[in-house]
């Protein structure tokens, strides 16, 4: 089954309101879908992490760099293709955009493999360790408003996320350490003991500022403190993990097994958050998952993007072995963005209906069992939002 074409579709629309995290504000939602066609008429879909102009640059890598390397290759040889592309791109980037671009292609090849076998992705990996997975809601983004307005809004949004049935709520931080502690207190009040809450700093703190916020999180009983310091600051991660009670999480900005080996051996993470659409696709995710489990580091996938990204993560979460296992084992969660996202809610011919399931099933969503990723994008929708 030969690969006949690899196409990137970059989608974009103006958000109803600007949203922010500790690094920037953004006014557009974008998604980068990858379509791999074969001479058997079977098409696979994948997604590359990276918004806006990064998506447009990654489209160039997918179509102009990777496509010529793999045209005519057997679409079922996904591991052979992964290593061929990685080895040919090694001299030009072992992390970052080449890996983001490869991720979308690899995910599409796994979708094809599932469709050929007539099996969902979790069956190709080895079966479902769980039929349902619990879902946490993230929201509470930064806006151009005062600290007091942030505090009031974060408390209200945290309560709303719990009202919608999510098992936990995750907030952004980034106004400054003192202001951020006020935001954390507001979210703790909004959640009001109904579930866990987490804080995502998107690596905006120095180690000492991260200790300041982290001590407040210890007192408030937060579940995790995500990307407190820059991903390159391995010493900072290790010191924070040793010095704080709150779980230190991170890894969404790390790539492939060699990058992950380093951050796992550094012992700076309580919870690993690999991003399958960035770090090398399903093929590399499975290797990194094994590496995390070899270090007894639990994994909660980072999820960002369209319904394709959500679908692939649902499959991977189903196939994640319990570690260490037990009658009442530690369980992963699906990350779910509660802000406006048409590319998740309206992209598919048959939508995933996650919000409805979460509300009706006490915070759980059922793993789809259609072949491959189990989803089919609506081409009319793609045409309407595609930019180039
Ligand atoms: Mg994050």
């Amino acid at each position: 089954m030969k690969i006949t074409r690899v196409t990137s579709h970059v989608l974009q629309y103006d958000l109803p309101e600007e949203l922010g995290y500790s690094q920037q504000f953004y006014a557009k939602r974008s998604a980068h879908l990858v379509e791999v066609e074969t001479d058997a008429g079977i098409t696979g879909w994948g997604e590359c992490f990276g918004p806006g102009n990064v998506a447009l640059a990654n489209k160039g890598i997918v179509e102009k760099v990777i496509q010529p390397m793999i045209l005519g290759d057997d679409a079922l040889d996904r591991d052979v293709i992964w290593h061929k592309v990685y080895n040919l791109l090694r001299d030009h980037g072992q992390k970052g955009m080449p890996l983001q671009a490869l991720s979308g292609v690899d995910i599409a090849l796994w979708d094809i493999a599932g469709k050929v076998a007539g099996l969902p992705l979790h069956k190709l990996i080895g079966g479902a360790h769980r039929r349902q997975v619990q879902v946490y809601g993230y929201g509470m983004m930064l806006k151009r408003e005062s600290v007091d307005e942030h505090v009031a809004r974060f408390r209200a949004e945290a309560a709303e996320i719990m009202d919608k049935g999510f098992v936990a709520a995750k907030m952004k931080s980034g106004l400054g350490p003192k202001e951020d502690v006020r935001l954390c207190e507001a979210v703790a009040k909004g959640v009001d003991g109904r579930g866990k809450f987490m804080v995502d700093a998107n690596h905006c703190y120095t180690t000492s500022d991260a200790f300041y916020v982290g001590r407040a999180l210890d007192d408030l009983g937060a579940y995790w403190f995500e990307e407190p310091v820059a991903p390159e600051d391995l010493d900072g991660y290790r010191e924070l993990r040793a010095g704080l009670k709150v779980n230190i999480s991170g890894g969404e900005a790390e790539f492939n097994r060699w990058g992950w080996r380093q951050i796992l051996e550094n012992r700076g993470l309580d919870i690993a958050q690999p991003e399958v659409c960035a770090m090398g696709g399903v093929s590399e995710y499975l290797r990194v998952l094994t590496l995390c489990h070899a270090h007894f580091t639990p994994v909660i996938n980072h999820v960002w993007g369209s319904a394709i990204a959500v679908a692939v993560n649902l499959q991977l979460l189903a196939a994640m072995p319990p570690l260490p296992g037990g009658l009442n084992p530690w369980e992963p969660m699906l990350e779910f963005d509660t802000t406006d996202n048409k590319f998740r809610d309206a992209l598919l011919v048959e939508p995933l209906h996650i919000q409805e399931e979460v509300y009706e099933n006490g915070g759980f969503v059922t793993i789809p069992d259609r072949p491959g990723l189990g989803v089919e994008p609506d081409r009319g929708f793609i045409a309407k939002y595609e930019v180039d």
Side-chain angles (χ1 to χ4, degrees), residues 170 172 200 202 226-227 252 273 302 335:
K170 188 168 87 181
K172 294 294 189 188
D200 187 359
N202 294 100
E226 178 170 332
E227 286 200 299
E252 67 182 79
Q273 296 170 300
H302 179 263
E335 174 169 14

Side-chain angles (χ1 to χ4, degrees), residues 2-3 125 127 191 215 223 270 360 367:
K2 289 188 179 6
I3 295 172
I125 295 170
V191 170
R215 287 189 185 111
Y223 183 47
D270 291 291
E360 286 160 18
I367 307 299

